[in-house]
Amino acid sequence: MKGDTTPPTSGGRETRPPAVSFEDIEKGFFGVPVLKRVRFSAQAGRITGLVGENGAGKSTLMNLLGGNLQPDSGQLRVNGSPYAPRGSGDARAAGIAFVHQELNLFPNLSIAENLFLTEFPRAAGGLPWIDRRKLRDRARHLLDQVDLAHDPDTPVERLPPGERQLLEIARALGAQAHLLLLDEPTTSLSVRECARLFDLMHRLRTRGIAMVYISHALGDVLNHCDDLVILRDGEVVGRGPAAEFTQERLVSLMVGRELNQLYPVRTPPPVPADSRPREPLLDVRGITQPGRVRDISFRLAPGEILGVAGLMGAGRSELARILFGLDPHASGEIRVEGRPLEGGPRRRIREGLAFLTEDRRHEGLCLEASVADNLALVTLGQHARTPVRWLDLPGIGTAVARIRDALQVSTRVTDAQPVRTLSGGNQQKVVLGKWLLSEPRILILDEPTRGIDVGARFEIYQWIHRLADRGSGILVISSEIEELIGLCDRILVMRQGELSGEFPRGEFNREQILAAALHTSTS
Amino acid sequence: MTRPLPSRWIRRALDQAPVLLVVLVLAGFGRMSDRFLTPDNLTQILLQAAAPVIVATGMTFVLLTAGVDLSVGAVMFVGAAIAGKMALAGYAPTLCLAAMLAVGLAGGGINALLVTRLRLAAFIATLAMLFIGRGLGRWITQTRAMNLPDTFLHWGSANVLGIPGPLWVAGAVVLIAQLILSRTPFGRQVLAFGNHPEAARRAGVRTRPLQAAVYILCGLCAALGGGVALTQLGSVSPRFGEQYEFDAITAAVLGGTSLFGGRGRVFPGTVLGAILLKAIFSGLVILQADPYLYPLITAVIIFVAVLLDSLRTHLLPA
Amino acid sequence: MNPAVPVPLRRLSADARAAILLPLVLFLLLAAFTPGFATAGNLGNLVVAGLPLLVLATGQTVVLITGGIDLSVTAVIGLTSVLGALVMSGDAGWLRGSPAATPVALAVMLGTGATVGLLNGSCIAWLRMPAFMVTLTTTLFMGGLAVWLAQRQVHAESIYNLPAAFLLLGNRPGLAAGVAIAAAAATHLLLTRTLLGRWFQAVGYNPRTALISGVPVGGTVVTAYVLSGMMASLTSILITARLETGSPSHGRTLLLDVIGAAVIGGTSLFGGKGTVPGTAAGVLFLALLSNGLNQLNLSDFFITMVKGAVILMAALLDVRRNRWARES
């Protein structure tokens, strides 16, 4: 049912159904709508740019096309026929191919083998041998189309990232894809590699292949796309030929929403950071780790909420991991109240640091363990008495109950329940709770409200304020500029591993922050 | 990483490790005794390596998928026990060996079922199969050694074109395995699966049949290796096939196959690994080392092989 | 995803406390169908025979909780037995006749297990080698070392003439039972009431979360293997005293029982979950099973097969249990 698409009628584009169309697609997670009546289409032989802030719903759209998710309502069509994929096999059969940031290549196999892993040409005679010559010829044919001059027998591990990206496209072409979805393909590419990629996209366009290009590099989007679709908060807020847009208009459409979430008011109102007389709580000087971050310096004052804006892959989480002692850094220095910070997470927790990671499920929680055990994990040592570090179980129980009540974790949840069974909001409260119990002086929050409903968000913001009011310094990493503006005293912006901007509270400006975070145009 | 050069050299050295080690061991023992590097002794080493090479070839397939099969020795034993019983009951040797292969097929099939259908961890499932198999084998033989008709020994010592029969069989198995691994879609998909199972599934590889196939292949190889050992020994003792799982894993890992999947080859890797093991023990015999030290030496060799594999996988950047 | 199993049964099997039902049911079955089973003498034998396994499986439970596995325990038993006997034996012992022989031997024996555990744990935690492969390799090495030592020192498998003070542990079942139960109880308290116990769990549930939450993951893993090694040594002390000989072949048949007992008792091969009382129930189940099989006059190889099958069933139950718990 999914494979049979009506053959495109010859002639003009007008008579031909779009390569893919989204018709009033809706999708929500745990009652939080992620896509709201999304309606747009991409035409064969055109490049459709899809832009929006992180969390606007782009990746959910891709997951719907790939069959990893199913829409709650609405209809997907491919070449005019209804399309309801249940997995990656269906997407392949419908001629849809994905080129992701993280590649799906096998570095231990050759280029040719990666291209034809499931479609090896067989030798004549009924034996299962691969026809090496045919394989090489076909691979070379595909490589020619993407302008890669390598021998097809080269192992993929020898290719630089940019060429691997081209190889992914070649693989899509080999699978006879007529719709190509490129999700941030340029993030790890050099300028020259990007130029090659765009060249290739233009050539594919003339062959009638439809492409959906997702990127934060607005200059590239405007230069290379034919049509644009702008998403904000799961809604299409603008679409049309690329010629009708400018970079400024795109940015204002992307961030254009009003403050639709309430941010708690801070009392007492924060003092501008630079006028604080006290010595900094956290002093970061010239932190550099090749390939991750370069020459990062900033200070965090007691009671300050400092935001870090930037795109995915800008080095924000990498910086946080270095600060918490999870990853090494080649040079630079971190000081807490003048004392150098060393050692792993254990030592740093003792110095008053806390780190809420972006990956709640894999780094924040023990999913199969109970709510109480998760809450108590960080501060267990405080309840342990020597010589055998005997635990004061009633004491732990009291502390857990106190923080649980304070955080208002849903009353339907029992302490013995595995954390896995909780909603995202309650799970995040548990992670926050375990750190609150340690009364941190420096709290690093990496995407603290991702995938969390509005109510729980508000409560998390309130806790951040409360901690700051008590004199803790807080570093908030978020991809939602909105959130940082509502929450922070000062915002740092990172781009490609470096600091690219700093905004004190009085000068918060969404467009400027976004501009500082976006790639400069590569062509 | 900041220091690409040393790690590249280390990696290259590790890639060539099997060849280097074989040369070192041969040269070392050659210096210590002039009876080591004789044509007779070298042939003897190859003959002793024939059965382990065959078993280790099957093991290589399983290891390439990041699995493991601890039951190969037990499968050999059950197969040999049944073949031995049949031979003593007067069945033709060919029929006995065919029965042995059937046992391998069945053992591999059960392992495949446990790992792919019932989702048990490979090491625990095959460990249980090791015990079940050894119990079954001892039950069949009633814990008594069986001396087989002379036909078996004749086969084991037969020469074809001047080359002993066991070497022909081992050579054929290695050749076929090498062809499967390098020349068939299945072989290449095994490597892809071992490198990144989820990406292989997304790319459209049918991963369950693939995983099942490697365990069945491994069972078959174990039985075939057992058959070769049977024709060389001419008897089935209650300890037949014992510790072959170690020999097979060590040979493969020494030859550069990773326990973490996705990397390794049958030729020359696993073959050299098996020859290396046998060369070491041949050297120890010639030097009249204390036989009670052999297990210790085996353990140290395995340990070093696994350690190198672990370092290569975790501590060197890709 | 298995509609054939009714929901109440799934719930029951997902609850680790239900582990105690298994030995109970088996006990009733055996009592009903096997004459001579429910006699005081037989039941006494059964308990005494189960004591070493209880100690061993308790240590294994700790390692399984951290998400690892220790296959080297049987070899540790043999090596410990030989080393202890080489210290204290009246025939060939290093301290033969000395009053210090027994205490020194006990210290050497416990130290042996701790050392092997340290080696295992370091390879697994710091060198990141796979646990099953490391411990299989140490099995081979330590087992071989035990045989070699015995051969070198006394030119035989077994070492006799152990001092009377040491044999007290074997002569008085009450004393042995006291030691075994104390070890199990101490481990139970360690797991449930101390910081280290919680760290074991956290590392088994999720090592990354544990690391970020300030748990010294490497040290915790190493400690688990050291503990398992020492429990294996204690097991060896009990067995050596009861059999009145030091021998490398002691404990050789226990490997499947030890993992089987833990997993039947609700300890997960995936880490995080496990209790000492559950494991004790598993030990009781296996002790009943082998006692029953003995009563039926089944041969030793048949018993090996049954144990292999029990492991498979236990591992299967573990996989199912985890899946059912997730679906509920």
Side-chain angles (χ1 to χ4, degrees):
Chain A
M1 143 198 149
K2 291 107 191 175
D4 59 343
T5 49
T6 47
T9 47
S10 54
R13 191 162 59 78
E14 304 307 318
T15 61
R16 210 162 128 182
V20 64
S21 58
F22 294 85
E23 298 176 359
D24 298 324
I25 297 291
E26 304 225 330
K27 179 72 189 174
F29 297 112
F30 304 112
V32 183
V34 176
L35 294 176
K36 301 167 196 160
R37 297 185 77 78
V38 167
R39 195 179 179 89
F40 74 92
S41 57
Q43 303 289 344
R46 289 176 81 79
I47 303 174
T48 306
L50 184 59
V51 297
E53 285 188 278
N54 294 338
K58 294 168 296 181
S59 46
T60 309
L61 279 178
M62 294 305 106
N63 278 322
L64 291 174
L65 274 181
N68 304 324
L69 295 172
Q70 275 74 44
D72 296 339
S73 67
Q75 177 77 61
L76 285 169
R77 284 180 191 278
V78 170
N79 287 339
S81 319
Y83 169 66
R86 292 269 148 191
S88 52
D90 291 344
R92 246 194 325 276
I96 300 177
F98 294 82
V99 178
H100 288 291
Q101 261 171 293
E102 78 265 31
L103 301 170
N104 283 321
L105 295 170
F106 303 96
N108 57 341
L109 300 183
S110 75
I111 291 178
E113 289 164 352
N114 267 282
L115 289 173
F116 294 100
L117 188 62
T118 54
E119 304 284 327
F120 279 111
R122 307 270 174 117
L127 284 169
W129 305 137
I130 297 167
D131 184 335
R132 284 270 158 191
R133 179 178 299 178
K134 220 183 270 177
L135 177 66
R136 289 166 60 95
D137 289 348
R138 285 193 197 172
R140 214 187 302 275
H141 178 66
L142 281 179
L143 291 177
D144 284 346
Q145 295 181 39
V146 299
D147 252 348
L148 276 176
H150 289 287
D151 181 344
D153 291 335
T154 312
V156 166
E157 55 198 351
R158 293 216 199 119
L159 298 190
E163 301 195 329
R164 292 190 197 189
Q165 200 72 265
L166 296 178
L167 191 58
E168 282 261 27
I169 296 177
R171 181 152 84 171
L173 296 178
Q176 307 297 321
H178 63 83
L179 172 61
L180 217 53
L181 296 132
L182 302 120
D183 189 356
E184 290 280 4
T186 58
T187 34
S188 54
L189 304 195
S190 69
V191 176
R192 281 194 32 209
E193 288 172 336
C194 284
R196 276 177 89 180
L197 177 69
F198 293 126
D199 255 15
L200 172 61
M201 286 169 64
H202 290 294
R203 266 182 290 135
L204 294 178
R205 180 167 57 182
T206 61
R207 287 173 43 182
I209 287 174
M211 280 164 280
V212 175
Y213 181 73
I214 299 175
S215 177
H216 287 296
L218 299 184
D220 291 345
V221 170
L222 286 168
N223 283 336
H224 300 290
C225 295
D226 304 302
D227 305 300
L228 291 184
V229 176
I230 299 102
L231 274 181
R232 184 211 306 153
D233 291 341
E235 280 179 281
V236 175
V237 292
R239 57 179 178 170
E244 294 175 5
F245 291 91
T246 61
Q247 198 150 340
E248 290 69 35
R249 180 151 175 247
L250 278 182
V251 169
S252 74
L253 278 169
M254 282 162 70
V255 300
R257 79 190 121 157
E258 293 307 304
L259 277 176
N260 56 3
Q261 285 142 6
L262 284 176
Y263 293 90
V265 182
R266 260 189 97 180
T267 46
V271 192
D274 50 0
S275 71
R276 277 166 199 266
R278 293 157 66 182
E279 84 170 305
L281 194 56
L282 180 69
D283 189 358
V284 176
R285 296 179 192 167
I287 290 291
T288 297
Q289 172 71 9
R292 301 281 175 88
V293 295
R294 197 158 77 210
D295 197 22
I296 304 283
S297 299
F298 65 91
R299 293 172 163 209
L300 177 68
E304 186 183 23
I305 304 175
L306 177 59
V308 184
L311 303 173
M312 279 177 202
R316 298 167 305 163
S317 301
E318 289 80 356
L319 174 65
R321 298 181 73 85
I322 290 171
L323 291 179
F324 202 63
L326 287 166
D327 289 335
H329 59 277
S331 61
E333 198 183 21
I334 307 165
R335 286 173 178 271
V336 172
E337 288 175 338
R339 278 168 292 119
L341 193 60
E342 278 159 0
R346 193 169 164 65
R347 296 259 303 270
R348 303 201 183 197
I349 290 170
R350 244 181 258 149
E351 287 288 339
L353 264 72
F355 180 28
L356 186 141
T357 65
E358 63 178 332
D359 189 347
R360 182 169 64 226
R361 296 171 62 83
H362 295 114
E363 294 186 335
L365 295 166
C366 296
L367 284 175
E368 301 298 321
S370 71
V371 172
D373 284 351
N374 271 287
L375 279 172
L377 185 56
V378 176
T379 42
L380 278 174
Q382 297 171 10
H383 298 280
R385 272 167 296 188
T386 46
V388 289
R389 293 195 279 182
W390 193 255
L391 288 176
D392 170 20
L393 291 186
I396 294 172
T398 317
V400 164
R402 183 163 49 82
I403 198 70
R404 221 191 86 123
D405 291 346
L407 281 164
Q408 296 175 302
V409 176
S410 167
T411 49
R412 280 173 301 164
V413 174
T414 65
D415 277 350
Q417 198 169 333
V419 145
R420 171 178 42 78
T421 57
L422 270 57
S423 72
N426 279 324
Q427 285 186 353
Q428 192 71 328
K429 283 185 189 175
V430 171
V431 185
L432 186 65
K434 78 173 182 182
W435 289 118
L436 288 178
L437 277 175
S438 75
E439 299 181 353
R441 287 184 305 148
I442 298 167
L443 178 60
I444 305 168
L445 302 160
D446 194 355
E447 304 286 358
T449 61
R450 181 187 284 167
I452 286 172
D453 58 286
V454 179
R457 271 173 182 238
F458 190 78
E459 291 170 40
I460 289 172
Y461 297 145
Q462 281 182 318
W463 276 103
I464 294 173
H465 280 185
R466 228 168 282 166
L467 270 176
D469 291 346
R470 273 187 230 154
S472 299
I474 300 181
L475 196 68
V476 188
I477 296 169
S478 175
S479 296
E480 288 181 52
I481 295 172
E482 203 71 40
E483 177 171 84
L484 295 177
I485 289 177
L487 194 63
C488 298
D489 300 322
R490 190 160 56 107
I491 297 174
L492 301 173
V493 187
M494 285 184 75
R495 182 177 65 206
Q496 295 182 339
E498 295 180 62
L499 284 180
S500 62
E502 179 177 349
F503 299 84
R505 188 156 196 54
E507 297 170 20
F508 284 175
N509 176 309
R510 284 167 223 167
E511 280 79 5
Q512 282 180 13
I513 293 173
L514 190 58
L518 290 173
H519 294 251
T520 41
S521 166
T522 49
S523 50
Chain B
M1 275 303 275
T2 45
R3 291 171 303 152
L5 196 68
S7 71
R8 205 173 70 208
W9 279 102
I10 295 171
R11 187 174 289 272
R12 202 168 284 172
L14 286 174
D15 285 345
Q16 300 306 324
V19 182
L20 292 176
L21 281 173
V22 168
V23 171
L24 268 177
V25 165
L26 290 184
F29 281 121
R31 278 185 66 92
M32 282 187 266
S33 164
D34 50 7
R35 282 186 298 137
F36 185 76
L37 281 178
T38 60
D40 257 8
N41 191 48
L42 292 180
T43 313
Q44 210 52 44
I45 290 173
L46 287 181
L47 278 174
Q48 283 167 8
V53 160
I54 296 168
V55 181
T57 297
M59 185 68 81
T60 306
F61 276 87
V62 175
L63 294 180
L64 281 173
T65 65
V68 73
D69 185 353
L70 298 175
S71 71
V72 287
V75 165
M76 288 172 70
F77 183 36
V78 175
I82 288 175
K85 275 273 170 192
M86 286 172 67
L88 292 184
Y91 287 92
T94 33
L95 214 57
C96 302
L97 292 177
M100 203 160 169
L101 289 183
V103 169
L105 206 61
I110 295 171
N111 284 334
L113 188 79
L114 294 172
V115 173
T116 63
R117 280 277 152 198
L118 302 174
R119 307 281 170 131
L120 298 188
F123 82 87
I124 204 85
T126 54
L127 184 70
M129 288 295 288
L130 185 166
F131 280 87
I132 294 175
R134 291 225 81 89
L136 191 63
R138 274 187 287 159
W139 176 60
I140 295 168
T141 59
Q142 292 298 309
T143 338
R144 276 192 289 270
M146 287 186 282
N147 283 316
L148 303 183
D150 289 343
T151 331
F152 284 90
L153 271 175
H154 286 315
W155 282 8
S157 54
N159 276 356
V160 180
L161 303 175
I163 293 171
L167 294 188
W168 279 106
V169 180
V173 168
V174 168
L175 182 71
I176 292 170
Q178 182 66 16
L179 284 175
I180 289 178
L181 215 47
S182 62
R183 292 297 168 89
T184 68
F186 167 75
R188 304 321 283 169
Q189 289 173 356
V190 163
L191 278 159
F193 176 85
N195 182 266
H196 195 336
E198 186 50 33
R201 198 188 55 76
R202 275 200 300 261
V205 174
R206 293 173 63 225
T207 53
R208 262 204 222 182
L210 180 134
Q211 242 188 318
V214 295
Y215 284 95
I216 292 171
L217 255 176
C218 186
L220 262 180
C221 283
L224 194 58
V228 168
L230 204 60
T231 62
Q232 289 178 309
L233 295 169
S235 65
V236 184
S237 79
R239 304 192 61 176
F240 188 88
E242 219 166 64
Q243 294 205 345
Y244 253 78
E245 58 277 358
F246 282 113
D247 283 2
I249 295 172
T250 313
V253 177
L254 269 180
T257 299
S258 172
L259 286 169
F260 303 93
R263 194 182 58 227
R265 332 181 164 147
V266 172
F267 189 83
T270 300
V271 176
L272 282 182
I275 293 173
L276 187 60
L277 266 182
K278 291 301 162 191
I280 289 171
F281 286 105
S282 160
L284 291 174
V285 170
I286 287 178
L287 296 177
Q288 292 175 316
D290 181 352
Y292 287 106
L293 282 175
Y294 290 6
L296 303 185
I297 292 161
T298 315
V300 169
I301 298 170
I302 301 177
F303 182 82
V304 170
V306 176
L307 177 66
L308 287 179
D309 176 35
S310 210
L311 293 178
R312 183 162 41 186
T313 306
H314 295 304
L315 301 184
L316 286 182
Chain C
M1 293 303 284
N2 191 342
V5 180
V7 173
L9 201 62
R10 290 185 188 193
R11 291 239 174 89
L12 193 66
S13 78
D15 189 340
R17 277 168 296 182
I20 193 65
L21 284 176
L22 277 174
L24 209 65
V25 169
L26 186 60
F27 178 83
L28 293 176
L29 280 176
L30 286 170
F33 293 106
T34 325
F37 172 77
T39 61
N42 186 41
L43 293 181
N45 281 341
L46 193 151
V47 170
V48 170
L51 287 176
L53 184 59
L54 174 66
V55 178
L56 197 61
T58 303
Q60 188 72 233
T61 303
V62 175
V63 170
L64 290 174
I65 285 176
T66 65
I69 193 158
D70 187 356
L71 302 173
S72 73
V73 286
T74 53
V76 171
I77 293 177
L79 181 62
T80 301
S81 180
V82 169
L83 281 174
L86 285 179
V87 171
M88 64 186 162
S89 158
D91 295 340
W94 168 53
L95 293 175
R96 65 184 147 237
S98 158
T102 300
V104 172
L106 288 175
V108 166
M109 292 171 96
L110 288 174
T112 305
T115 311
V116 177
L118 189 66
L119 185 75
N120 284 333
S122 307
C123 291
I124 293 158
W126 309 118
L127 298 173
R128 297 174 69 186
M129 295 161 73
F132 81 94
M133 209 56 224
V134 169
T135 54
L136 270 180
T137 309
T138 34
T139 304
L140 197 58
F141 188 88
M142 301 306 160
L145 186 62
V147 173
W148 179 73
L149 278 171
Q151 291 295 337
R152 215 177 85 119
Q153 300 296 327
V154 298
H155 306 288
E157 267 268 299
S158 304
I159 304 159
Y160 301 96
N161 199 359
L162 304 182
F166 179 79
L167 295 181
L168 277 181
L169 267 173
N171 302 336
R172 299 196 184 160
L175 186 58
V179 170
I181 290 166
T187 311
H188 176 61
L189 290 176
L190 177 77
L191 285 177
T192 54
R193 301 298 309 267
T194 72
L195 183 62
L196 191 60
R198 296 296 187 89
W199 281 351
F200 288 142
Q201 265 177 16
V203 168
Y205 276 127
N206 187 338
R208 277 163 78 190
T209 298
L211 179 74
I212 291 171
S213 303
V215 176
V217 175
T220 304
V221 168
V222 174
T223 311
Y225 284 92
V226 169
L227 223 117
S228 170
M230 289 179 73
M231 291 301 246
S233 288
L234 186 56
T235 310
S236 174
I237 291 171
L238 295 176
I239 294 176
T240 306
R242 186 156 57 95
L243 300 179
E244 304 187 3
T245 51
S247 161
S249 59
H250 286 339
R252 250 183 211 167
T253 57
L254 284 177
L255 181 59
L256 284 187
D257 303 56
V258 68
I259 295 164
V263 176
I264 289 168
T267 303
S268 174
L269 289 167
F270 301 98
K273 290 177 195 150
T275 63
V276 173
T279 298
V283 170
L284 198 55
F285 178 80
L286 283 179
L288 284 165
L289 189 69
S290 43
N291 188 282
L293 294 174
N294 279 335
Q295 301 274 326
L296 295 173
N297 267 328
L298 293 173
S299 46
D300 136 73
F301 30 77
F302 191 76
I303 292 175
T304 313
M305 284 167 62
V306 170
K307 284 180 180 167
V310 165
I311 279 278
L312 275 187
M313 297 310 293
L316 210 57
L317 186 69
D318 181 34
V319 170
R320 292 281 140 184
R321 220 162 16 204
N322 278 290
R323 202 173 296 169
W324 290 335
R326 206 156 298 152
E327 283 164 14
S328 66

